[in-house]
Amino acid sequence: MLPDSLALIPPPPLAGSTALADDQEVARSTFRLRDTPRFALAASDYDLKLTHLTSDFFLRAQHPDHQRGFSLSIHVAVSRLQ
């Protein structure tokens, strides 16, 4: 059974509230990050398509610093499937 997302996420701030003003200020503060590597990464992280997620996973696994940990992760994942 999936959790009720409406129960997990609070309602949006009320119009005219301090919470809404805070949310809007945080949103405005991120505009200066557009066209930066950090913004591109955040936008990429938002892509939840399986093909995107798996390509990130396998690209990371090919990096020499991560190969040992990746091999262990694959071994654990496969053993759980058996």
Side-chain angles (χ1 to χ4, degrees), residues 33-74:
L33 297 174
R34 286 190 181 180
D35 300 321
T36 66
R38 177 64 187 97
F39 192 88
L41 177 62
S44 175
D45 287 348
Y46 184 73
D47 184 352
L48 299 178
K49 294 183 193 90
L50 183 59
T51 53
H52 178 77
L53 295 172
T54 55
S55 70
D56 281 355
F57 180 73
F58 286 110
L59 283 173
R60 185 173 189 90
Q62 292 171 4
H63 191 281
D65 292 344
H66 300 289
Q67 285 181 347
R68 184 168 183 265
F70 175 73
S71 297
L72 179 60
S73 297
I74 290 296

Side-chain angles (χ1 to χ4, degrees), residues 23-34:
D23 279 2
Q24 290 171 333
E25 179 55 35
V26 168
R28 275 191 295 275
S29 72
T30 65
F31 294 161
R32 64 183 170 76
L33 297 174
R34 286 190 181 180

Side-chain angles (χ1 to χ4, degrees), residues 70-82:
F70 175 73
S71 297
L72 179 60
S73 297
I74 290 296
H75 175 72
V76 170
V78 169
S79 67
R80 288 181 180 173
L81 293 173
Q82 295 174 351

